[in-house]
Amino acid sequence: MSELQIIDLGVETSGKQVLSGVNLRVKSGEVHVLMGPNGAGKTTFANALFGHYRYKVTSGQILIDGKDITDLSTFEKARAGLAFLMQEPPEIPGVTVENILLTALGATRPSGNRETYMSEKVSALAAKLDINSALLERGVNTDASGGEKKRLEALQLCCLPPKFAVLDELDSGLDVDALKKVSTAVKDLVDAKSPTGKAGAGMGVIVVTHYNRVLEYLPADKVHLLIDGKIVETGDASLVDQVEAKGYGPWLAGS
Amino acid sequence: MPTLPEETEFTSDPLWLQSYKNQAAALLEKTPVPTEDQENWRYSDISNFRPDNFKPASKAVYVADTIRPEFLPACSAVIKLNNDGYAEKTDGGGKGGIRVINLAEDFDAENPSETDFADPSSIKDLVRKYLEPSGDDSFFELLAKAFVKTPILLYIPPNYKAELPIAVIHSLHDPSVSGTKDNLVSADSAAGETYFPSLVIFADKGAEVKVLEVLLSDGASSLVVPRTFCWVQEGAHLAYEQLQVLGKNTQHYGHQYGFVRENGFLDSFSVSLGARMSRTETSSVLSERQASSNLYSLYFAGDDQIKDMRTYQDHLAPHTKSELIFKGAVDGEARSVYTGLIHMAKGAVRSEASQTNRNLVLSEKASADSVPNLSIEENDVKCSHASAVGPIDKELSFYLETKGIDPSSAEKLITLGFFRDLLNSAPVTELNGYIYNTIANKL
Ligand SMILES: Nc1ncnc2c1ncn2[C@@H]1O[C@H](COP(=O)(O)OP(=O)(O)OP(=O)(O)O)[C@@H](O)[C@H]1O
Ligand SMILES: [Mg+2]
């Protein structure tokens, strides 16, 4: 059982304070939903969590199992157990998904027959997530559609499951069938048992979304509303239905 | 005036070759050593170049065993040359009848043998074009023509087809250096040796072959001036790959000439990784209808290496087509410059040419320049050029780092990825693993 703790996080970009006083506590196997209007600061939150060079943490702390990782560099945060599925992942010519996974795996698992292990795993997941093999031979995300990119990101997530993942608009671009496949695959990671068979050892996730659809397959334990850089309300899954019914109006007025 | 020491052995050359060499030597006396004040040398580090710092190649031992290119793929024939000429020649059991001829020994320039060549007059043309000096020759071309030692003609007979490449390996070793292969001691003050690897490939009508040429040396402060001529006859398809992995103190001034006749196709791919100062002039002359060429190149310079790449796509006939892609990366304090010219002659109607040069600049102290040019004398043609110079996109590194990849591995991945698409279209993809490793070790 692990815990990701975000305490009083404040973030600035281009001289503008985008987030302030954000608190969040996610345990292994939990699904947290982060909702909010366009421009509220959801992507900023994710980028800042990973130490993106354009975002500056002006206050607060990020902890994994009590260990302060706020000032670690991006790759060290990833190695500490954080994964990021970007809203708009970039395209990298000539660098295949397998190149990435092998390099990332090399960092944690130096020996053994990594190539075979990885290529078998990738093929199995590609079949599960319905990913065209041509996409795996090209540079990651190059000339891929929006939905294909999300599938490729989900594949990488499943290959090297982290302790915690931030899924920024996992659902955007995915068609109805793909959404089901991808979110079910994520759900499997969330429900994963520990090697000794204990429940509650799975991946903890923060899902950024605008719609309740993804939650059909990935039921939320907690829902947070982020308005204008602040978490204004935290509740259970019913909060999503309120937003769907009324929009953000009631909270905007109050903030 | 360049004062290369007397080369007594040249008297063994046939008269026609002696005459070319003498003419070249005479022209050389009137040709000043290039300086950086000259427009087409202004990016090169030529200011310290002193021809008299070099001496002719010694009769060094055959060294292919100590610097054997163990990365060589399976080949249909292998021709190995060292300082002194032939070292080894295997023609794959003589199948198909390709011929390897030392022009300085077994060739009659006046009357090329009817039994050897399907089209002796084209061979005659080719040898003259290749070895006869002209007033337009550059200093280094004249130098190579004056001192050429073992000019090799690789003759591919009509309709000859082979899947496996023919390999020509120049394995150069300077006996003045000592130390181990990876840690050579070579005093910069000591006179380096000079080598003039010379290869003419003649792909006769309808032939389809791959030729791999490797330039390999052991790090000495030598001067290497190679000249390779790819002549493609009607309907022939010549895939040519050159791998330049010369030792790190070498000065390299290379020339790759292409000449393509009707319906012929030259698919040229050049990888330039070695030498301290390396300048490569690549040209392709599309002389008849429907002739086409691809000129692709990959270069990487680290430490204080310099790459000076010059290209010329010359369209002389209607419906000719050329595509050029040069990709480079510079690291450390390295510099690179790409200068390319497309020429469309009057009458080259419906011809198409494209020219792309992209450069990755991997460190603050490294720099790259890109200078594309067009010279168009015909209206009914299509030309395009694109060039780019820039650092690695930070968003890409960030993305890879979020996967747990450290910044230096991320840089390696992105740089190798930058070259990967191009390398996948190389004629001899079996070498790619070696090329990736060599670049990765420099990063
Ligand atoms: N690098 C940046 N430079 C300047 N302004 C930025 C930068 N990144 C984000 N912003 C601004 O910060 C605010 C929050 O942006 P962010 O991308 O975090 O919103 P979001 O909640 O993810 O929105 P959406 O739902 O549209 O994805 C916006 O006003 C945006 O314009
Ligand atoms: Mg966003």
Side-chain angles (χ1 to χ4, degrees):
Chain A
M1 169 71 78
S2 284
E3 188 178 50
L4 169 66
Q5 243 181 307
I6 290 135
I7 305 165
D8 186 36
L9 190 72
V11 177
E12 187 189 285
T13 184
S14 309
K16 170 180 158 191
Q17 192 73 32
V18 181
L19 294 178
S20 48
V22 173
N23 291 292
L24 214 60
R25 195 181 252 249
V26 184
K27 295 198 174 85
S28 295
E30 284 183 354
V31 175
H32 289 235
V33 171
L34 189 61
M35 294 186 90
N38 293 137
K42 304 177 296 293
T43 297
T44 299
F45 167 77
N47 276 317
L49 208 56
F50 285 87
H52 188 288
Y53 59 97
R54 287 176 72 177
Y55 299 85
K56 192 172 147 219
V57 173
T58 51
S59 69
Q61 277 178 304
I62 305 157
L63 310 172
I64 287 188
D65 297 331
K67 184 172 168 277
D68 190 339
I69 62 160
T70 322
D71 296 327
L72 292 189
S73 53
T74 304
F75 78 95
E76 291 168 323
K77 284 176 172 165
R79 289 185 194 174
L82 284 184
F84 185 9
L85 193 144
M86 293 185 188
Q87 183 173 350
E88 282 167 13
E91 306 183 2
I92 313 190
V95 180
T96 66
V97 165
E98 227 167 285
N99 292 151
I100 294 174
L101 290 169
L102 277 173
T103 312
L105 185 71
T108 55
R109 189 195 293 221
S111 62
N113 197 344
R114 290 192 261 134
E115 277 81 3
T116 332
Y117 166 81
M118 197 44 89
S119 81
E120 281 168 7
K121 203 157 176 177
V122 167
S123 323
L125 279 161
K128 186 170 164 186
L129 298 171
D130 202 10
I131 294 173
N132 187 329
S133 62
L135 285 171
L136 298 171
E137 279 149 32
R138 292 208 290 265
V140 65
N141 297 325
T142 53
D143 304 319
S145 72
E148 287 170 339
K149 287 181 185 174
K150 289 290 154 80
R151 292 184 212 207
L152 287 170
E153 292 305 308
L155 181 147
Q156 296 176 64
L157 187 73
C158 295
C159 271
L160 299 173
K163 287 184 185 159
F164 298 97
V166 181
L167 312 175
D168 194 358
E169 302 203 10
L170 171 69
D171 47 0
S172 77
L174 290 175
D175 64 43
V176 179
D177 300 319
L179 180 61
K180 183 174 176 183
K181 283 185 177 141
V182 169
S183 38
T184 309
V186 172
K187 174 72 172 149
D188 290 346
L189 297 179
V190 170
D191 292 343
K193 293 190 166 65
S194 76
T196 53
K198 273 192 210 142
M203 178 173 78
V205 288
I206 301 173
V207 195
V208 175
T209 184
H210 289 293
Y211 308 103
N212 60 7
R213 176 126 221 175
V214 62
L215 307 178
E216 267 179 50
Y217 312 106
L218 201 56
D221 294 300
K222 277 191 179 148
V223 177
H224 311 273
L225 293 192
L226 185 79
I227 311 258
D228 206 8
K230 294 185 187 70
I231 292 183
V232 296
E233 187 162 346
T234 293
D236 60 19
S238 67
L239 197 49
V240 183
D241 300 327
Q242 288 181 51
V243 171
E244 290 260 347
K246 298 181 261 181
Y248 292 106
W251 290 277
L252 284 173
S255 73
Chain B
M1 191 195 87
T3 53
L4 285 163
E6 292 282 307
E7 175 59 271
T8 49
E9 279 175 78
F10 290 161
T11 46
S12 67
D13 286 332
L15 288 176
W16 64 270
L17 185 55
Q18 279 187 38
S19 147
Y20 283 165
K21 284 173 139 185
N22 290 337
Q23 289 171 43
L27 282 169
L28 200 54
E29 287 194 24
K30 290 184 270 176
T31 308
V33 179
T35 67
E36 276 155 54
D37 301 338
Q38 282 163 267
E39 174 56 27
N40 63 347
W41 283 96
R42 72 190 172 102
Y43 295 97
S44 288
D45 180 27
I46 192 83
S47 56
N48 292 319
F49 181 74
R50 302 272 176 280
D52 27 314
N53 277 353
F54 297 97
K55 59 185 183 196
S58 48
K59 284 194 172 284
V61 288
Y62 175 49
V63 288
D65 284 331
T66 49
I67 48 173
R68 177 184 292 282
E70 51 279 293
F71 46 85
L72 259 198
C75 293
S76 65
V78 178
I79 299 133
K80 285 185 183 165
L81 298 126
N82 62 18
N83 302 5
D84 197 35
Y86 278 123
E88 208 177 299
K89 175 168 99 177
T90 59
D91 61 2
K95 55 180 171 206
I98 67 159
R99 275 190 273 296
V100 182
I101 295 160
N102 179 354
L103 294 172
E105 274 174 13
D106 15 87
F107 182 72
D108 179 352
E110 291 308 315
N111 290 300
S113 139
E114 303 260 351
T115 51
D116 274 347
F117 310 111
D119 181 359
S121 74
S122 290
I123 296 283
K124 204 173 149 178
D125 265 8
L126 163 68
V127 171
R128 198 179 51 238
K129 257 196 173 55
Y130 180 59
L131 291 171
E132 188 178 36
S134 102
D136 295 336
D137 285 342
S138 71
F139 174 85
F140 287 102
E141 285 173 305
L142 291 172
L143 196 65
K145 284 179 178 178
F147 293 93
V148 60
K149 206 165 186 179
T150 316
I152 300 291
L153 167 62
L154 177 57
Y155 177 76
I156 321 290
N159 300 314
Y160 176 88
K161 290 187 173 57
E163 197 36 52
L164 294 178
I166 299 162
V168 179
I169 300 160
H170 306 273
S171 180
L172 311 171
H173 166 66
D174 190 333
S176 66
V177 298
S178 56
T180 64
K181 175 176 168 294
D182 296 315
N183 184 21
L184 286 159
V185 186
S186 128
D188 270 333
S189 56
E193 302 208 334
T194 46
Y195 309 108
F196 305 98
S198 305
L199 175 67
V200 208
I201 306 160
F202 186 94
D204 214 331
K205 288 174 195 160
E208 276 177 37
V209 277
K210 290 179 187 169
V211 177
L212 168 67
E213 186 175 27
V214 182
L215 292 160
L216 188 69
S217 75
D218 52 7
S221 45
S222 327
L223 172 66
V224 183
V225 188
R227 292 179 68 240
T228 304
F229 201 136
C230 295
W231 180 296
V232 184
Q233 285 286 78
E234 294 93 327
H237 180 160
L238 171 61
Y240 168 77
E241 178 163 346
Q242 182 181 91
L243 176 62
Q244 189 272 88
V245 282
L246 291 166
K248 64 177 181 190
N249 291 324
T250 310
Q251 298 204 46
H252 163 252
Y253 299 89
H255 307 84
Q256 300 175 7
Y257 316 90
F259 186 84
V260 189
R261 299 189 57 184
E262 189 167 336
N263 279 313
F265 176 44
L266 171 63
D267 185 13
S268 155
F269 195 95
S270 180
V271 179
S272 176
L273 304 177
R276 201 191 72 79
M277 163 71 212
S278 172
R279 169 160 164 142
T280 308
E281 297 180 16
T282 307
S283 63
S284 113
V285 177
L286 305 175
S287 68
E288 292 174 3
R289 296 177 68 89
Q290 316 259 328
S292 61
S293 69
N294 286 345
L295 301 180
Y296 295 159
S297 176
L298 174 172
Y299 48 99
F300 183 93
D303 299 327
D304 59 351
Q305 282 183 297
I306 295 172
K307 297 279 166 206
D308 182 352
M309 315 301 284
R310 308 208 139 229
T311 68
Y312 186 45
Q313 293 153 272
D314 195 9
H315 292 250
L316 301 179
H319 298 274
T320 50
K321 192 165 182 246
S322 72
E323 180 179 75
L324 178 146
I325 303 174
F326 271 50
K327 279 185 155 190
V330 282
D331 200 1
E333 296 179 17
R335 281 198 289 136
S336 74
V337 57
Y338 166 82
T339 315
L341 178 64
I342 294 174
H343 174 237
M344 288 283 180
K346 186 90 199 128
V349 293
R350 301 284 159 87
S351 290
E352 286 176 38
S354 72
Q355 188 187 49
T356 306
N357 173 235
R358 297 192 190 287
N359 299 279
L360 268 186
V361 180
L362 300 173
S363 84
E364 300 251 305
K365 288 187 171 165
S367 68
D369 288 283
S370 184
V371 192
N373 282 302
L374 298 174
S375 152
I376 315 285
E377 295 160 16
E378 172 60 57
N379 291 324
D380 189 12
V381 295
K382 270 194 214 153
C383 284
S384 65
H385 59 85
S387 78
V389 176
I392 285 181
D393 182 347
K394 278 190 184 170
E395 291 297 326
L396 305 191
S397 329
F398 174 71
Y399 170 84
L400 291 176
E401 288 174 43
T402 66
K403 314 275 179 189
I405 295 172
D406 64 88
S408 102
S409 303
E411 178 185 296
K412 262 186 208 189
L413 271 182
I414 295 167
T415 307
L416 296 178
F418 171 72
F419 291 128
R420 187 167 279 117
D421 289 348
L422 190 62
L423 271 170
N424 284 343
S425 60
V428 189
T429 46
E430 293 87 345
L431 269 180
N432 289 0
Y434 171 82
I435 294 167
Y436 286 126
N437 281 341
T438 309
I439 297 172
N441 287 337
K442 285 164 163 269
L443 280 164

